[in-house]
Amino acid sequence: MALYRTMVRIRAFENAAEVASQGGVSAYGQQAGAAAKVRGPLHLSTGQEAVPAGVCAHLRPTDYLTSTHRGHGHTLAKGADLTRMMCELFGKATGFNGGKGGSMHIADFSVGMLGANGVVAAGLPIAVGAAHAQKIQQRDAITACFFGDGAINRGPFLEALNWARVYELPVLFVCEDNRWSATTASGPMTAGDGASARAAAMDIASRQVDGNDVFAVHEAAAELVAQVRGGSGPRLLHALTYRVKGHVSVDLAAYRDPRELEAALDTDPLARARAHLLESGTAAAELDALETAAQAEVDAALATADAAPWPDAQAAFSDVQDTGAGQWI
Ligand SMILES: Cc1ncc(C[n+]2csc(CCOP(=O)(O)OP(=O)(O)O)c2C)c(N)n1
């Protein structure tokens, strides 16, 4: 039920954020509509919810997590506040980044969520650095590092896995393989057998799992997290899932075969988990109540974000490394 609740909250949040973004400025050049509450590119993890839910169920607030540009699910599953994330998407002062970061820069250090990241694969070295600190300081904590199947074709993936293995760092690499990298199918541009094979080449044990089966993800992550926490060094989880939406919310994904999407929708992780829970005796009313509560939470967050103040103009000059010699101001 806890796993299902996490997935339902992620889905409800992203559905609402998508509606609130309609008409917004996108990476593909659409212009802002007056009605858009969420501006800028919004990468949705619809259909991938089982991966963060199953993995983060094994993490503690003292553990770290690094995320990607598609990070709402990771953030919520790690325990970050849903309302503050909605405020950030709305660009409001009460958001995680004071309204200045938006979807791709959300971080909540209070729950160990070190940050979403707009640079593909850039979270990998950050995760390894964080895990190295945990090891040096002898903390009883680990780092979970989420990245996409496209990220494994960038150099930081190799550097991070090598460093983690050489120093036996407490890091769990999680490849969320949704089969697409922006508008390009990942398969044809990836040599060899993908993330697990590359991990094996560096002597990092891995498991491949049906990433749309939250119970399978939960079980595999339990084993790998226990090994990482036990001091066995890094591990990799390769979760096979599917990106249901376009690359960003306004991308209609017209470049892909509609049959591919239809097949993926048949394996929707929420529908599967719900069916499984019903079969094992959970009352439908209990699941309905959980869904209603998640929707109510999201509706309240939308209202809060709408009513929240905009950042002060002076805030443009805080949280930056260098504001120049003063002439900028
Ligand atoms: C270094 C870098 N190159 C290119 C981009 C543009 N870009 C943004 S997301 C993306 C695809 C990433 O694919 P994947 O890692 O599989 O993640 P997914 O979007 O499928 O979740 C690309 C190429 C970027 N943000 N950073």
Side-chain angles (χ1 to χ4, degrees):
M1 284 291 276
L3 295 172
Y4 186 62
R5 176 172 179 269
T6 303
M7 294 198 295
V8 164
R9 287 179 78 236
I10 296 170
R11 180 74 58 93
F13 178 92
E14 293 204 306
N15 282 348
E18 182 179 24
V19 171
S21 79
Q22 276 160 2
V25 176
S26 83
Y28 293 85
Q30 276 89 342
Q31 293 305 304
K37 302 281 186 185
V38 173
R39 309 291 179 96
L42 190 67
H43 304 85
L44 301 167
S45 65
T46 315
Q48 303 178 206
E49 297 90 345
V51 186
V55 171
C56 294
H58 302 290
L59 301 182
R60 305 168 183 163
T62 47
D63 291 330
Y64 288 144
L65 180 147
T66 62
S67 180
T68 66
H69 53 287
R70 205 176 297 285
H72 309 131
H74 312 144
T75 309
L76 288 175
K78 189 67 174 71
D81 185 72
L82 184 149
T83 303
R84 281 191 76 191
M85 184 150 75
M86 192 65 85
C87 290
E88 187 57 43
L89 262 54
F90 273 57
K92 297 301 183 77
T94 48
F96 279 120
N97 308 78
K100 299 189 293 180
S103 171
M104 282 190 281
H105 300 99
I106 285 166
D108 182 5
F109 288 8
S110 73
V111 297
M113 198 294 189
L114 299 186
N117 205 312
V119 182
V120 172
L124 282 135
I126 294 172
V128 167
H132 209 147
Q134 288 169 324
K135 180 158 182 164
I136 289 171
Q137 296 174 352
Q138 298 183 327
R139 286 189 238 160
D140 180 25
I142 71 166
T143 299
C145 170
F146 287 83
F147 52 93
D149 41 304
I152 73 168
N153 291 327
R154 290 210 61 235
F157 173 77
L158 172 72
E159 297 172 26
L161 264 67
N162 184 64
W163 192 273
R165 179 67 181 91
V166 165
Y167 287 98
E168 293 291 11
L169 301 180
V171 54
L172 176 66
F173 296 105
V174 183
C175 180
E176 265 179 312
D177 187 346
N178 65 15
R179 296 176 53 187
W180 285 88
S181 307
T183 55
T184 308
S186 302
M189 66 167 186
T190 303
D193 291 330
S196 307
R198 293 180 189 183
M202 277 183 272
D203 196 26
I204 293 177
S206 69
R207 276 190 63 176
Q208 193 163 304
V209 71
D210 177 351
N212 281 13
D213 178 349
V214 73
F215 305 108
V217 175
H218 185 258
E219 186 271 322
E223 183 186 314
L224 298 178
V225 166
Q227 291 169 0
V228 173
R229 214 180 277 291
S232 303
R235 294 288 185 272
L236 185 140
L237 180 66
H238 185 177
L240 300 166
T241 178
Y242 191 76
R243 195 195 75 202
V244 165
K245 302 281 180 170
H247 176 54
V248 287
S249 58
V250 292
D251 168 23
L252 300 176
Y255 42 81
R256 71 182 175 192
D257 186 339
R259 284 170 300 186
E260 194 180 291
L261 175 61
E262 279 165 34
L265 290 176
D266 284 342
T267 70
D268 179 69
L270 273 74
R272 282 170 72 181
R274 190 182 159 97
H276 178 91
L277 288 165
L278 289 172
E279 274 164 32
S280 20
T282 310
E286 256 188 277
L287 299 170
D288 294 345
L290 197 147
E291 288 164 20
T292 306
Q295 193 55 54
E297 186 187 3
V298 167
D299 289 345
L302 286 169
T304 302
D306 212 15
W310 295 105
D312 191 76
Q314 276 301 313
F317 302 103
S318 60
D319 308 319
V320 291
Q321 283 185 311
D322 186 358
T323 53
Q327 77 272 25
W328 298 97
I329 295 172

